[in-house]
Amino acid sequence: MKEAETRTLPGEFQLIRDYFVPLQSPAFAGVVLGIGDDAAVLAVPRTQQLLTTVDTLVEGIHFTASDDPFRLGQKALLVNLSDIAAMGGKPCWYLLSLSLPSDTSLTWIEAFVAGLREASERFGVTVVGGNTTGSKAGRTIGITLFGLVGQGRALTRAGSEPGDRILVTGTIGDAALALAMRQGGLSLAGGEDLAFLQQRLDRPDPRVGLGLAIADAMVVHGMMDVSDGLVADLGHLCAASGVGAQLYAEKVPFSPAARRQLEQNPDLLPLLLTGGEDYELLCTASPGALALLATLADEAGVPLTEIGEITASGDVVVTLENKPLPLDRGGWAHF
Ligand code: ADP
Ligand code: MG
């Protein structure tokens, strides 16, 4: 039997001293001053620009009270890493903002910090500060991540041109399937497939290495990460460039697990294309750049698939085997 947690939360400063200070990597590049003062001091090399992004996970919206805190710690950082990857940057430092109800257990904190530590070490980033408050309405986890990119080298959503090819990394729709199942609406077959799909939802795989290689090679026109659903995010990329897109649904890469679900239920296709949380890179490049891109993806060990092309019109048109594919969901929106 699991022992009941008897340790209550210590004061804010003891929490910082016991858990967040030890989470810092010692002597980390660029950290002039880390946790402990009113602000951290970070050194940005003269040749670089600073990238910054924030993502917040809210109990009741992004996770539930009973969700595994280790995975939450990982995921809070991984989704931010994906944003830095999407700009072609090198992630470096982060701030951790936590709002915690007073009945939060130390066991929860320890597992949460262990998850953060795992992802931090795997991607070579460190915490440099944060904020800790109480909460009367569940836990909130905010991470602000800073990264570096060469002067003028950041890859934005803008810059796509008609005739560009559209490419996406990894596979699309796995997380959407897992989420639909977890939220009760969908029942999926196959134990192993289930575990794979859940893991794609819980543990995104930010494409940091490939993002850096793509920025280095200056080989794409536009880039972003897919978090709100492939179709919606392609729409965002097009809007930023003032172009349209033709997306071929039959070319979109699905995992073997997602394929098996799709074979049993072809009506799942719109969900795969519009559900969110893929955390894959979406980019556009001229046809002449595709060979170099394929080499970079190979070297990074990341699948990269051509799924469509940029058009001059302002719409995103999705077809399946040359027939228009009706999609009723445009992607995730909070309000
Ligand atoms: P201030 O009141 O000046 O904002 P705080 O008392 O909030 O400072 O924080 C003290 C130090 O601890 C700061 O350096 C801050 O960055 C750090 N800190 C606070 N909360 C966290 C946290 N959750 N994770 C990491 N560092 C934290
Ligand atoms: Mg202060």
Side-chain angles (χ1 to χ4, degrees):
M1 202 183 85
K2 214 175 146 206
E3 271 183 44
E5 169 74 69
T6 52
R7 299 168 304 159
T8 51
L9 273 196
E12 160 196 352
F13 297 107
Q14 197 183 329
L15 205 57
I16 295 168
R17 190 191 68 205
D18 292 352
Y19 294 99
F20 304 129
V21 170
L23 181 61
Q24 287 182 116
S25 304
F28 195 92
V31 181
V32 180
L33 187 61
I35 294 178
D37 219 301
D38 296 307
V41 182
L42 304 169
V44 177
R46 221 180 269 281
T47 57
Q48 308 279 295
Q49 287 176 316
L50 189 66
L51 299 170
T52 182
T53 181
V54 61
D55 258 301
T56 306
L57 301 181
V58 178
E59 187 175 315
I61 299 206
H62 301 94
F63 65 96
T64 67
S66 60
D67 278 357
D68 180 352
F70 181 87
R71 291 209 197 114
L72 277 176
Q74 285 181 316
K75 185 160 180 177
L77 191 53
L78 294 173
V79 298
N80 280 286
L81 287 162
S82 180
D83 281 321
I84 297 292
M87 301 301 290
K90 175 180 159 52
C92 301
W93 316 292
Y94 65 93
L95 299 169
L96 172 64
S97 176
L98 281 179
S99 298
L100 303 169
S102 57
D103 64 356
T104 303
S105 73
L106 272 185
T107 307
W108 191 94
I109 299 283
E110 282 165 4
F112 174 75
V113 168
L116 268 178
R117 181 187 303 282
E118 189 282 327
S120 305
E121 289 176 355
R122 189 151 47 96
F123 286 93
V125 298
T126 187
V127 67
V128 292
N131 188 45
T132 309
T133 76
S135 166
K136 291 203 184 328
R139 292 178 266 262
T140 300
I141 305 160
I143 290 192
T144 304
L145 178 62
F146 300 89
L148 295 174
V149 68
Q151 295 277 354
R153 294 286 182 94
L155 295 171
T156 68
R157 300 174 177 194
S160 302
E161 294 164 16
D164 278 358
R165 300 302 148 85
I166 303 166
L167 301 105
V168 73
T169 59
T171 57
I172 293 297
D174 299 318
L177 283 174
L179 191 63
M181 198 212 55
R182 199 170 287 175
Q183 289 176 340
L186 183 69
S187 61
L188 298 182
E192 248 175 56
D193 284 354
L194 210 64
F196 169 82
L197 296 170
Q198 302 267 21
Q199 172 248 309
R200 289 280 289 154
L201 174 63
D202 292 332
R203 223 179 82 131
D205 200 356
R207 306 303 188 180
V208 174
L210 181 57
L212 274 168
I214 287 175
D216 248 17
M218 297 198 291
V219 70
V220 301
H221 287 158
M223 190 154 85
M224 70 182 299
D225 72 328
V226 182
S227 56
D228 291 345
L230 178 64
V231 174
D233 280 330
L234 179 56
H236 298 146
L237 190 111
C238 287
S241 298
V243 294
Q246 162 72 55
L247 178 68
Y248 304 106
E250 69 277 10
K251 292 192 177 179
V252 174
F254 298 126
S255 65
R259 267 186 198 291
R260 282 188 279 271
Q261 303 305 324
L262 205 51
E263 272 161 27
Q264 294 183 15
N265 183 1
D267 294 345
L268 289 174
L269 184 60
L271 174 68
L272 298 187
L273 297 177
T274 60
E277 302 227 50
D278 298 296
Y279 299 107
E280 296 292 351
L281 294 178
L282 179 68
C283 62
T284 61
S286 61
L290 297 184
L292 175 54
L293 262 177
T295 305
L296 296 178
D298 259 8
E299 284 169 1
V302 177
L304 184 67
T305 310
E306 192 181 324
I307 57 171
E309 72 187 60
I310 295 295
T311 58
S313 91
D315 300 337
V316 174
V317 176
V318 185
T319 58
L320 177 64
E321 315 286 3
N322 294 320
K323 289 194 230 21
L325 182 70
L327 298 168
D328 40 349
R329 296 182 40 194
W332 172 259
H334 272 281
F335 304 107

